Amino acid sequence: FADGHDTARVFTFAAALERNSEHPLAEAIVNRAKADGIDIPDVEGFSAVPGHGVEGTVGGMRVAFGNRKLMAREGIDIARFEDRIATLEDEGKTVMMVGVNGAKLAGMIAVADTLKPNSAEAVSRLQDMGVKVFMITGDNRRTANSIARLVGIAPEQVLAEVLPEHKASEVAKLQAEGLTVAMVGDGINDTPALAQADVGIAMGGGTDV
């Protein structure tokens, strides 16, 4: 936490912005805030910035919650926190930052994706069948590579920091290499990529993938 902000304040900002999201990471943040007994306020002027994060006004303050790209867009300097952020990302955690009034970093929240127990086995069985397994994600490369290592996906088959609207073009690139592509996605952000693929497999929500 930075500039005099504490845990409750940072979670208040983050949970207020994420309360109406169905994303698994958003759900984790809201659940933590509720578990801590934090009263989640209403948001005015909410907007989602694809591939960046979310923004809105909470308690009269303009709050941005998201990744490095969003902080840069807001003009918020995070340079002195880069070492800590990089350490968390190397541990496979997604780091999201809370910026206030386009000026200060209030703090950051690290959320870890929990792999399903059979994920590595599923990837291994696909590879044994001759299927080349790629991971495509909007997350940063450090976090993506950390997760990929755990499931046995090679770094060169990790497509990281891909904005939702660019996933379809990444699928098209694989097809241009002569590959027949089956895309597994959540059917919300991934709809264009699912349509572009030779086979689109849509899950009900991010956690199902």
Side-chain angles (χ1 to χ4, degrees):
F1 307 103
D3 298 320
H5 295 275
D6 58 18
T7 305
R9 190 173 177 81
V10 170
F11 268 101
T12 297
F13 288 144
L17 288 171
E18 295 284 28
R19 180 165 55 181
N20 295 320
S21 173
E22 295 179 352
H23 194 285
L25 299 186
E27 185 179 355
I29 289 165
V30 172
N31 287 343
R32 167 65 186 269
K34 289 178 177 177
D36 287 354
I38 292 171
D39 183 27
I40 303 175
D42 292 330
V43 177
E44 296 177 0
F46 173 86
S47 65
V49 186
H52 291 66
V54 290
E55 300 174 327
T57 300
V58 182
M61 288 176 283
R62 174 182 164 80
V63 180
F65 182 53
N67 58 21
R68 285 182 182 82
K69 295 174 187 174
L70 186 62
M71 294 302 105
R73 171 181 161 137
E74 291 291 308
I76 295 171
D77 184 11
I78 61 169
R80 65 193 175 104
F81 300 99
E82 270 295 347
D83 286 348
R84 178 61 179 149
I85 294 169
T87 298
L88 291 166
E89 289 173 345
D90 284 336
E91 294 171 358
K93 295 171 183 172
T94 298
V95 181
M96 293 173 285
M97 289 152 271
V98 179
V100 179
N101 290 333
K104 292 182 177 180
L105 180 71
M108 49 196 177
I109 298 174
V111 184
D113 283 309
T114 303
L115 287 173
K116 294 190 175 188
N118 57 355
S119 294
E121 180 189 355
V123 170
S124 176
R125 289 177 65 179
L126 286 167
Q127 291 170 337
D128 288 345
M129 293 164 58
V131 175
K132 197 170 186 179
V133 180
F134 290 80
M135 181 170 74
I136 184 167
T137 176
D139 219 334
N140 70 84
R141 182 153 297 281
R142 281 196 194 95
T143 302
N145 282 343
S146 176
I147 298 297
R149 279 195 300 272
L150 295 176
V151 295
I153 296 175
E156 61 271 19
Q157 288 163 215
V158 176
L159 309 175
E161 300 178 26
V162 181
L163 294 173
E165 62 267 28
H166 294 161
K167 287 185 178 180
S169 62
E170 291 295 330
V171 170
K173 286 178 187 177
L174 294 176
Q175 291 170 322
E177 294 174 13
L179 297 175
T180 299
V181 179
M183 168 76 183
V184 183
D186 65 15
I188 304 168
N189 289 333
D190 297 335
T191 303
L194 291 166
Q196 174 66 42
D198 298 284
V199 177
I201 304 169
M203 301 294 183
T207 51
D208 295 328
V209 176

